[in-house]
Amino acid sequence: MKMKRREFITLLGGAAVAWPVAARAQQPTMPVIGFLRDTSLAHATYLVAVFRQGLKEAGFIEGQNVAIEYRSAEDQPHRLPTLVADLVRQQVALIVCNTRSAFAAKAVTSTVPVVFVTGGDPVRDGPVSSLNRPGGNVTGVSFLNSVLAAKRLELLHQIVPKATIIAAMSENSSSPDIEAERRDLLAAAQAIGQQLIVLDVNSDREIETAFTTLVQRGAGALHVGTGAFMNSQRERIVALAARYRTPAVYNWREAVSAGGLMSYAPSIPDAYRQAGIYAGRILKGEKPGDLPVMLPAKFEFVLNLKTAKALGLQIPDKLLALADEVIE
């Protein structure tokens, strides 16, 4: 039986299309991770990098055997439930998120695994019922940053011992962590005979006003508080501290790298690396409720001697000896 040339070409074309489709159908579907933040992703590129590192340690490489969908509420937390719902509709394998995002994720889904990274107390705040056995679909890493406020104030006092008035710049929020941090700071200041001025901020303009106020009220040093907004504004705060010649202690190492005087904090990048490892373990089949919430194992005291010199400060030898890193 003869086949017309046109029929042969049509059949060949159909086969050429069908073979790749069949081959693709046999390939396993790549799991997708939702990476969600309430603040801008532009301020979290280094955290994304170490999260990928943790994933790699667990055997997953973005673009090869796992995909990542990135979402940000851009400092508009009311958008978080919608963003979580969108990720759930896309059938992501799990969601990795920071503090506020974790609350939204838990409220929206009880089935999709959630891995959080938070500076708060996850049992007190509600994402999990227990550190050792979180239960449900949520686990993560807590670096309990706010409980270190008293230690930061002590270090600041050693560097600026003559400062009888200390300013505490705090995110204007009813967050339990921020309220606990304020209580700890007030108690620590009273214990060493210092007056504490609390300056609430919630915008770039208020940060500028806070520096003007602390100078007018004679504050000799500054404690920069925790919180997502404060973290997103760290470079702005460091620049203003330099302009107003104010010795300041921070809760992020990155602030000292940007020119801040000093920091004492858990390693937040290491927390995101650990979150990447947990994400990989969940992708391999472990249940989030069976994975204990990880607590920080590493604390870093970082000093910037260049900034100290610019402020005319002499760092005591015993503090230099305690520093995990000295930037010169």
Side-chain angles (χ1 to χ4, degrees):
M1 177 180 176
K2 292 183 179 180
M3 182 179 294
K4 294 182 180 179
R5 182 173 181 273
R6 179 180 296 175
E7 293 172 338
F8 175 77
I9 292 173
T10 300
L11 178 62
L12 183 61
V17 171
W19 292 337
V21 169
R24 286 197 298 270
Q26 293 172 3
Q27 294 176 357
T29 302
M30 188 181 296
V32 179
I33 296 173
F35 190 95
L36 175 64
R37 292 182 64 80
D38 61 323
T39 57
S40 174
L41 288 166
H43 299 295
T45 53
Y46 70 108
L47 298 177
V48 171
V50 290
F51 172 72
R52 289 174 179 151
Q53 178 186 334
L55 269 178
K56 186 176 181 180
E57 292 176 30
F60 293 90
I61 298 175
E62 184 179 11
Q64 293 187 16
N65 58 353
V66 69
I68 305 177
E69 285 286 331
Y70 300 93
R71 298 288 187 275
S72 168
E74 298 294 339
D75 296 306
Q76 300 177 60
H78 66 275
R79 296 178 53 202
L80 287 169
T82 301
L83 294 173
V84 173
D86 177 55
L87 291 171
V88 171
R89 279 194 298 271
Q90 294 192 43
Q91 298 184 334
V92 295
L94 64 120
I95 300 172
V96 175
C97 48
N98 62 347
T99 305
R100 288 181 182 174
S101 306
F103 292 114
K106 185 175 182 180
V108 171
T109 178
S110 60
T111 55
V112 177
V114 174
V115 177
F116 61 75
V117 181
T118 178
D121 182 338
V123 176
R124 180 200 64 202
D125 298 341
V128 298
S129 57
S130 165
L131 294 178
N132 291 329
R133 299 283 293 182
N137 64 317
V138 181
T139 189
V141 186
S142 174
F143 44 88
L144 297 174
N145 208 358
S146 61
V147 301
L148 302 175
K151 178 64 175 179
R152 295 190 195 101
L153 196 66
E154 175 193 334
L155 293 169
L156 190 59
H157 179 61
Q158 291 184 52
I159 289 181
V160 197
K162 294 182 180 180
T164 57
I165 302 175
I166 303 293
M169 188 178 295
S170 178
E171 188 169 311
N172 187 7
S173 168
S174 59
S175 161
D177 294 314
I178 293 173
E179 291 179 352
E181 181 181 69
R182 291 180 184 180
R183 288 195 301 269
D184 290 347
L185 280 171
L186 285 167
Q190 289 174 358
I192 57 178
Q194 290 179 317
Q195 179 185 346
L196 192 73
I197 302 170
V198 177
L199 303 169
D200 289 331
V201 298
N202 208 33
S203 70
D204 183 72
R205 179 177 296 179
E206 289 177 350
I207 291 174
E208 178 92 37
T209 302
F211 273 96
T212 303
T213 301
L214 72 86
V215 171
Q216 291 173 345
R217 297 184 63 178
L222 171 66
H223 177 281
V224 181
T226 59
F229 172 73
M230 301 294 284
N231 188 19
S232 70
Q233 298 296 314
R234 63 176 180 269
E235 293 183 1
R236 172 72 171 156
I237 295 170
V238 166
L240 287 168
R243 183 201 300 177
Y244 287 94
R245 297 185 57 79
T246 302
V249 62
Y250 303 84
N251 60 83
W252 329 282
R253 181 207 177 283
E254 293 75 19
V256 185
S257 298
L261 176 61
M262 65 179 181
S263 66
Y264 182 76
S267 173
I268 298 176
D270 188 62
Y272 273 85
R273 183 185 68 83
Q274 294 287 355
I277 293 172
Y278 258 17
R281 290 176 63 176
I282 291 170
L283 289 176
K284 290 178 180 178
E286 294 190 61
K287 296 179 180 179
D290 295 336
L291 296 174
V293 174
M294 286 185 282
L295 298 176
K298 182 179 180 182
F299 296 87
E300 299 175 327
F301 175 36
V302 185
L303 279 168
N304 190 317
L305 288 187
K306 183 178 179 181
T307 300
K309 183 178 180 180
L311 293 170
L313 298 174
Q314 183 66 42
I315 305 297
D317 290 340
K318 62 179 181 181
L319 281 188
L320 285 173
L322 288 173
D324 297 288
E325 182 179 354
V326 176
I327 299 173
E328 300 188 52

